[in-house]
């Protein structure tokens, strides 16, 4: 049977870090990666589809990542 794919959302305003993390996690077949640059866009992503895990930066430009969670 095929393993379940876990949808991970990475929210960070640092594009280089966000893309590097996404690239590393994408090496694993069991992960599907989405990214967002702001807390607002991260919250919208969670509302739009199932996210299994959100990795949030604390210092986002629009909101504290802890508030967004």
């Amino acid at each position: 049977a095929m393993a379940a794919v876990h949808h991970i959302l990475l929210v960070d305003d640092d594009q280089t870090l966000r893309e590097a993390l996404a690239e590393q996690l994408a090496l694993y077949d069991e992960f599907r990666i989405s990214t967002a640059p702001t807390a607002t866009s991260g919250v919208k992503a969670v509302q739009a589809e199932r996210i299994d895990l959100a990795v949030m930066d604390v210092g986002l430009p629009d909101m504290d990542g802890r508030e967004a969670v």
Side-chain angles (χ1 to χ4, degrees), residues 9-14 17 36-39 54-61 63-69:
L9 173 67
L10 300 174
V11 184
D12 200 307
D13 58 319
D14 181 331
L17 176 61
T38 64
V55 180
M56 304 278 296
D57 184 19
V58 174
L60 291 163
M63 190 188 308
D64 185 303
R66 290 167 292 207
E67 285 177 49
V69 171

Side-chain angles (χ1 to χ4, degrees), residues 7-11 18 22 32-36 45 49 51:
H7 191 179
I8 299 174
L9 173 67
L10 300 174
V11 184
R18 193 174 68 236
R32 178 161 92 84
I33 312 303
S34 294
T35 63
E49 58 184 322
I51 303 287

Side-chain angles (χ1 to χ4, degrees), residues 12-32:
D12 200 307
D13 58 319
D14 181 331
Q15 185 178 350
T16 305
L17 176 61
R18 193 174 68 236
E19 289 175 356
L21 283 170
E23 201 174 287
Q24 289 300 306
L25 289 169
L27 296 172
Y28 299 90
D29 292 338
E30 62 265 33
F31 297 146
R32 178 161 92 84

